[in-house]
Amino acid sequence: MADAHYLFAFFRDNGQDGVHLASSDDGLEWASINGDRPLLAPRAGTERLMRDPHVTLAPDGVFHLVWTTGWNEPTIGYASSKNLIHWSEQRALSLMAHAPGTRNCWAPELFFDERAGHFLVFWSSTVEGRFPETAGRCEDDYNHRIYHTTTRDFERFSPTRLLYDPGFPVIDATMVRDGSRTVMFVKNETRYPEPAKYIFMTTSDRPLGPYGPPSEPIASDWIEGPSAIKIGDLWHVYFDCYRAKRYGLAVSPDLAHWSNLSDRLHLPGGRALHGCVLAVPAAVVQRLRELPA
């Protein structure tokens, strides 16, 4: 995108007030949009939260937003917009309805597969009774794996299936295209007997996998919510340092050698939580910046 600027969609506190936006020209210095007021308040689901927002710009110019509707809800929030200001009616998608015992649907994301012509929707869920070999390795008896479905119109969805099981609990998957391969960043959610809690990457020839072995951690532990994007010649992976209560950033020229640029990352306002970064046309950012402060 020749005239790309960048947006960061995130939530604050428990996600009860909705999705916030910030903008940047370089991916390092970020400014609040809409006076740091949420652009969309949660209406979907029973817990009425809007956590872990993920925004994707489709080839037809429509923005699609998915989010976590609640801590213990087996649904995913969905809405769309042509300008990030006016939104469609919010819906709670029951994509795990086929799996009794599903405790949650966390951190949903979207990836548009150009070759297949559809969206991949993926998230992490704990389903009671599944993966007994890793039971008890996470807080509150969670035991997450990554699940997925596909859709062309967000009305009809393919049957939900398991997307990624590396043999240990994982959450917060995100995908990017790197040439002909798909790169997935994901968090090792293991807590016991020794904590992992780090972000690694894995690759595949296609978005639906199969994926290769996990890489070494790309940054320190006790981080989550990766969001990856290439800015200039560097891959940027943003992440939530939830124990340190700040945001972090790792960069790489080749997705193999990583440098920590967290000290150069400046976000506006208070504590930003698990969001996503995306490139958009300059005109989109300009209109958002014209909203009242």
Side-chain angles (χ1 to χ4, degrees), residues 102-118:
T102 299
R103 292 180 58 184
N104 60 340
C105 291
W106 283 0
E109 295 215 3
L110 302 172
F111 180 84
F112 185 71
D113 186 339
E114 295 180 354
R115 285 179 284 189
H118 62 211

Side-chain angles (χ1 to χ4, degrees), residues 6 26 178 229-237 250-258 261:
Y6 306 99
D26 62 3
D178 177 38
I229 188 171
K230 195 169 189 180
I231 301 177
D233 296 327
L234 290 177
W235 286 99
H236 290 54
V237 177
V251 300
S252 172
D254 55 9
L255 294 175
H257 304 88
W258 296 90
L261 289 190

